[in-house]
Amino acid sequence: MDQAPSLEGWHPPAAPDRVGMVGRFCRLAPLTVAHAAALHAANALDAAGSMWDYMAYGPFADAEDYRAWVERQARSDDPLFFAIVDAAGGTPVGVASYLRIDRPNGVIEVGHLAYSPRLQRTPAATEAMYLMMRCAFELGYRRYEWKCNARNAKSRAAAERLGFTFEGVFRQHMVVKGRNRDTAWYAVVDSEWPRIRTGFEHWLDPANFDPDGRQRRSLVECRGIPGAQS
């Protein structure tokens, strides 16, 4: 009988802790109601509300409505929410979470990504995803997932840029805001992580940014330079 490789020596990882993660451009702090006002103000810069187009919730009616949502999510362990705080200004500018935390199988997902205009297309946006991915694999998870609406071209492009592998589309997977959602599945597995980690580290290196803060090499290019293949 053809058997799968043995996982001798592997043990189910611990659940992620409700503790912060610190980078150069941002830090991730466990979400609390103290973050709500600043996050709502940052989100309000998206006047059209397009950041919520593919989310199961939002846009929110007002600051109090958003605060109530934050208060509920701050009590949750799965999803486990974090505020993404800009290092330069110390201001919360986005939200992300771990979810569908499957310890017995070593699988964890990243999601609920609500990036305000202040966070979108910044080094902090990429670094936040690096910090969360690094934490998951350091805990011992074998598989790190990204799922999104198959129609969400921006999310799919982001997953591929970050190093996730496309694995297929689950048709009629969910009903979201009264509409069908086909879900695109992406993942990084632990054997791929060393190469992806090194690419992130090359990209985040201060030498990769010019005096105006523009990248010299793209993240995709950084995964292909010497040292990113091991």
Side-chain angles (χ1 to χ4, degrees):
M1 180 176 64
D2 183 20
Q3 295 186 338
S6 170
L7 292 178
E8 183 178 357
W10 179 81
H11 301 284
D17 290 329
R18 198 181 295 276
V19 297
M21 294 168 255
V22 179
R24 186 163 71 93
F25 297 102
C26 72
R27 61 182 175 88
L28 279 78
L31 183 67
T32 72
V33 292
H35 297 121
L39 284 169
H40 182 264
N43 295 341
L45 296 175
D46 174 26
S50 59
M51 62 182 284
W52 308 105
D53 284 352
Y54 294 101
M55 305 289 274
Y57 44 82
F60 295 87
D62 51 35
E64 186 55 37
D65 189 26
Y66 183 71
R67 185 185 186 281
W69 179 86
V70 170
E71 188 172 18
R72 291 192 300 273
Q73 306 316 317
R75 295 193 296 264
S76 171
D77 292 321
D78 186 355
L80 178 61
F81 278 86
F82 294 87
I84 303 169
V85 180
D86 176 68
T91 304
V93 290
V95 167
S97 79
Y98 292 125
L99 67 156
R100 304 185 191 279
I101 302 167
D102 181 356
R103 293 179 53 225
N105 292 302
V107 179
I108 193 167
E109 182 178 341
V110 63
H112 293 281
L113 304 182
Y115 279 18
S116 78
R118 288 179 177 164
L119 180 59
Q120 294 168 17
R121 302 183 68 83
T122 67
T126 296
E127 186 178 55
M129 293 297 94
Y130 162 68
L131 292 171
M132 293 186 72
M133 198 183 302
R134 183 181 71 181
C135 178
F137 284 115
E138 287 181 349
L139 284 171
Y141 286 87
R142 306 172 55 236
R143 175 178 168 86
Y144 190 78
E145 296 182 332
W146 174 297
K147 302 187 185 82
C148 63
N149 191 310
R151 293 177 177 270
N152 189 344
K154 290 183 178 179
S155 183
R156 297 185 68 164
E160 293 176 6
R161 173 180 174 270
L162 294 168
F164 287 83
T165 296
F166 173 61
E167 296 182 330
V169 172
F170 279 39
R171 297 175 299 163
Q172 297 186 189
H173 178 229
M174 300 174 69
V175 176
V176 177
K177 294 178 178 174
R179 295 180 180 274
N180 174 66
R181 171 174 142 166
D182 297 340
T183 299
W185 287 51
Y186 296 81
V188 173
V189 297
D190 54 0
S191 61
E192 300 165 337
W193 170 237
R195 176 181 62 86
I196 292 171
R197 179 192 62 214
T198 304
F200 274 122
E201 291 169 353
H202 281 299
W203 189 83
L204 290 165
D205 190 304
N208 190 46
F209 295 89
D210 68 19
D212 295 320
R214 293 186 294 262
Q215 68 179 14
R216 300 183 191 276
R217 292 178 184 263
S218 71
L219 183 56
V220 173
E221 288 173 325
C222 285
R223 282 199 296 273
I225 65 178
Q229 297 298 323
S230 58

